[in-house]
Amino acid sequence: QKEVEQDPGPLGVPEGAIVSLNCTYSNSAFQYFMWYRQYSRKGPELLMYTYSSGNKEDGRFTAQVDKSSKYISLFIRDSQPSDSATYLCAMSADTGGFKTIFGAGTRLFVKA
Amino acid sequence: KAGVTQTPRYLIKTRGQQVTLSCSPISGHRSVSWYQQTPGQGLQFLFEYFSETQRNKGNFPGRFSGRQFSNSRSEMNVSTLELGDSALYLCASTRTGENSPLHFGNGTRLTVT
């Protein structure tokens, strides 16, 4: 079993939809949780960074962490075609990016 | 503020050759990590450097090596290239201390023929 599980998709939604992306994990030591967005031929770009459980909102993006269930989510409101990309969840037990473990990434397509 | 810079962007090599990839971290970032990204395996951790010392190493053969210089710039080397080494190699840098996630460059796309 992988430490971090993420459905690779693809996930297709119409423009304006609310998108829900999820990851589960097995290592209870993870405390730092991240979401990255990766466009084709580009490196991953940090979207959200959270510590421990709870919610964090940034514009159209909301990250949720439920440590009791070992489950994290990223919600995208009012999705746009420009949101079409691969979304990677990532987590680590220590700060400083030390041994960050990534999910497989979910390919998202937002159709105009 | 300039981001993480990786050179070259693309490389084509032949089996058995060796290759060196370069990474310049964000100014002020002293930790550099390297990842291999392939469609089948996703992002896999190669190694991490801090203050010119390798702090951690992933589960890759000894053909994969790296180093970090006093200005925090890093290089990774792959010797005796195999077809399976074809991948996107990503470098990421981070500050030390709290609230320090990885920030990635755009990678070097290595193709081994």
Side-chain angles (χ1 to χ4, degrees), chain A residues 36 38 41 43 95-96 98 100, chain B residues 9 35 37 56 94 97 102 106:
Chain A
Y36 288 83
Q38 187 174 21
R41 297 187 181 87
T95 188
F98 169 54
T100 301
Chain B
R9 287 296 312 276
Y35 284 81
Q37 187 176 36
N56 295 287
T94 182
L102 296 171
N106 283 324

Side-chain angles (χ1 to χ4, degrees), chain B residues 4-104:
Chain B
V4 177
T5 304
Q6 290 188 249
T7 55
R9 287 296 312 276
Y10 302 94
L11 267 177
I12 300 175
K13 291 286 187 178
T14 307
R15 271 180 302 175
Q17 289 186 315
Q18 75 164 17
V19 66
T20 299
L21 313 181
S22 181
C23 172
S24 293
I26 292 171
S27 178
H29 286 196
R30 296 169 60 193
S31 176
V32 171
S33 298
W34 288 89
Y35 284 81
Q36 181 195 65
Q37 187 176 36
T38 58
Q41 299 296 320
L43 270 159
Q44 291 193 289
F45 172 75
L46 279 157
F47 25 66
E48 181 202 16
Y49 286 88
F50 176 74
S51 290
E52 303 178 65
T53 301
Q54 186 181 89
R55 289 205 298 186
N56 295 287
K57 190 177 193 303
N59 190 24
F60 278 81
R63 301 184 297 107
F64 292 81
S65 63
R67 59 178 176 168
Q68 186 181 32
F69 302 96
S70 58
N71 62 358
S72 295
R73 192 177 68 84
S74 179
E75 290 181 347
M76 69 163 281
N77 185 278
V78 188
S79 62
T80 320
L81 284 166
E82 301 178 359
L83 294 178
D85 297 333
S86 295
L88 179 66
Y89 289 88
L90 291 159
C91 169
S93 72
T94 182
R95 297 181 287 113
T96 53
E98 294 294 320
N99 298 317
S100 303
L102 296 171
H103 296 269
F104 284 89

